[in-house]
Amino acid sequence: MDLLSPVVLTLKLAAVTTLILLLISTPLAWWLAHSKSKWAAIVETLVALPLVLPPTVLGFYLLIVLGANGVIGGPWADLTGSALTFTFSGLVIASVIYSLPFVVQPLQNSFVAVGRKPLEVALLLRASRLDAFFSVILPLSMRGYITAAVLGFTHTMGEFGVVLMVGGSIPGETQVLSIAIYEHVEVLDYGAAHVLSAGLLIFTFIVLLMVYVINRRFPTNAH
């Protein structure tokens, strides 16, 4: 009984997914927070879709898109000679899409709370946009970043439907914690399922507790 492998794979998947999400969600959330474009509502709806769609529905369409004949999977297979589905790379792409709203929305709310004035003042003082963002906006939005990172990480750790559809259950490659727990229950190995479930429950509780404690130490965003 290998209990460590799915734990390590899950932590790796959550870490990679969270890093990618923070990178792509920052400009997206800033645009959604301040854009007056008529397209903003459509983009916001697309970002929020994973919140309401059944994971199996999202996983099914990702399976098609990432498959050997899919819009993304096809060119990937031509380029690399291997499929995206049932691989760690495919799991990362699926996880990024599935966890996107859990990172974008806290950042968007944080950017709205900060407003544009701090950025405009920094620009008036001749700071570059990049410098103004990292020196002014980022510190003021730290609570949003902490919440976004933790929600993205923990939500990715708990994925089931999407990872089962796109990644399957290949030990050491795509068998993450949620899948391992399900398979242990299926064969009535409640002892192993309990060890993994309790570990995930305790870990998630500690991480969320740390977020609330840290958030209380950061000043509230202000215009």
Side-chain angles (χ1 to χ4, degrees):
M1 180 174 63
D2 183 10
L3 297 182
L4 185 59
S5 176
V7 174
V8 172
L9 186 65
T10 302
L11 291 174
K12 180 182 174 184
L13 176 64
V16 173
T17 300
T18 303
L19 180 61
I20 294 173
L21 278 171
L22 288 175
L23 290 174
I24 65 175
S25 296
T26 294
L28 178 57
W30 179 266
W31 182 76
L32 288 174
H34 300 295
S35 175
K36 295 180 181 178
S37 168
K38 61 182 180 181
W39 296 102
I42 296 176
V43 174
E44 201 167 14
T45 303
L46 289 173
V47 169
L49 269 180
L51 290 174
V52 294
L53 271 180
T56 47
V57 173
L58 183 60
F60 172 68
Y61 283 113
L62 284 173
L63 182 64
I64 293 176
V65 170
L66 300 178
N69 297 317
V71 176
I72 298 176
W76 175 275
D78 293 338
L79 189 65
T80 64
S82 59
L84 262 177
T85 48
F86 308 108
T87 66
F88 183 76
S89 299
L91 272 187
V92 170
I93 294 174
S95 298
V96 165
I97 295 171
Y98 187 51
S99 296
L100 187 63
F102 292 87
V103 176
V104 169
Q105 292 188 352
L107 292 182
Q108 182 181 346
N109 293 336
S110 185
F111 291 153
V112 169
V114 170
R116 294 185 61 89
K117 284 184 180 178
L119 178 67
E120 292 169 356
V121 171
L123 294 177
L124 283 175
L125 295 175
R126 298 185 177 181
S128 68
R129 284 189 172 274
L130 198 60
D131 185 32
F133 180 82
F134 281 104
S135 302
V136 180
I137 302 300
L138 188 60
L140 289 175
S141 307
M142 192 52 66
R143 291 181 66 162
Y145 272 94
I146 292 172
T147 303
V150 170
L151 287 180
F153 191 90
T154 52
H155 186 256
T156 302
M157 286 188 67
E159 285 180 47
F160 179 77
V162 171
V163 295
L164 183 62
M165 297 286 275
V166 176
S169 177
I170 304 173
E173 292 186 38
T174 62
Q175 187 190 56
V176 296
L177 256 177
S178 57
I179 304 297
I181 292 170
Y182 174 73
E183 292 186 343
H184 284 305
V185 171
E186 265 200 322
V187 296
L188 303 180
D189 186 359
Y190 284 12
H194 177 67
V195 170
L196 294 176
S197 299
L200 184 59
L201 175 65
I202 294 170
F203 176 81
T204 305
F205 176 81
I206 292 174
V207 170
L208 287 177
L209 179 63
M210 288 174 62
V211 170
Y212 287 119
V213 171
I214 293 173
N215 269 344
R216 286 176 176 271
R217 295 179 181 275
F218 278 93
T220 305
N221 297 329
H223 290 281

